[in-house]
Amino acid sequence: GANPAQALKAIQEAEAYNGPSLIIGYAPCELHGVKGGMNHCQDEMKAAVKAGYWNLFSYNPALKAEGKNPFTLTSKEGDGSYQAFLANETRYSSLTRKFPERAEFLFKKNEEVAKAVKAIHDLCEAVKQLDDHHQQIAFSACLAEMAREFNW
């Protein structure tokens, strides 16, 4: 990934957990059409996180036993470069050229969903002091509200 230390930490946590683990990473490929070519792959990964397109988070159930919140969001809120990030990949910029109205609508909706991650992070911070049962209720309520808001 763009941050080798963060990637290694995620792999170590997943490996240490006594149960199924899943790691999902953002990996640009040639078909994304990254401007500047694939030699800018790590730069594109960093830009994805910086823009808020890709969020770095983990859920480690083992932290519950230590009395800690198992959900950790390590990336920050997007810096406002979301649309510029999309424009840097041919797969998105070609849509803008072919179907500008659709692209504008879809990109705006996509950015709204990405910003909702900030709301989830704020919720996580607010409910850290609650017991497991009430944390689950709070998370479920948040997801239900997001589903309603974004017509999922």
Side-chain angles (χ1 to χ4, degrees):
N3 181 339
Q6 194 273 338
L8 183 60
K9 182 177 184 264
I11 293 167
Q12 289 171 332
E13 281 183 5
E15 194 173 59
Y17 182 65
N18 186 22
S21 299
L22 176 67
I23 299 173
I24 303 172
Y26 179 70
C29 74
E30 189 175 303
L31 295 176
H32 289 179
V34 175
K35 293 179 182 169
M38 288 306 294
N39 57 331
H40 294 281
C41 188
Q42 281 193 305
D43 295 335
E44 190 69 1
M45 290 182 215
K46 288 178 185 177
V49 173
K50 185 177 172 192
Y53 178 86
W54 190 262
N55 293 284
L56 303 176
F57 62 90
S58 64
Y59 184 86
N60 183 352
L63 293 177
K64 282 183 168 184
E66 299 173 24
K68 297 178 182 174
N69 188 345
F71 179 83
T72 305
L73 179 66
T74 55
S75 54
K76 297 180 176 133
E77 185 175 3
D79 67 357
S81 64
Y82 197 91
Q83 298 301 324
F85 172 79
L86 294 179
N88 193 52
E89 295 191 4
T90 304
R91 62 183 174 152
Y92 296 123
S93 61
S94 64
L95 183 63
T96 304
R97 287 189 302 279
K98 292 178 185 175
F99 305 102
E101 297 84 18
R102 289 184 192 170
E104 181 181 352
F105 172 78
L106 291 172
F107 294 171
K108 182 180 177 190
K109 278 292 186 191
N110 190 264
E111 186 172 12
E112 288 174 8
V113 171
K115 287 180 179 178
V117 172
K118 170 70 169 108
I120 292 172
H121 179 261
D122 291 346
L123 175 64
C124 290
E125 291 299 315
V127 300
K128 276 184 179 178
Q129 306 306 318
L130 300 176
D131 59 54
D132 286 347
H133 175 73
H134 288 95
Q135 282 185 10
Q136 290 174 359
I137 292 170
F139 287 125
S140 295
C142 179
L143 291 175
E145 178 60 23
M146 286 176 58
R148 186 193 63 73
E149 178 68 28
F150 295 112
N151 297 315
W152 291 345

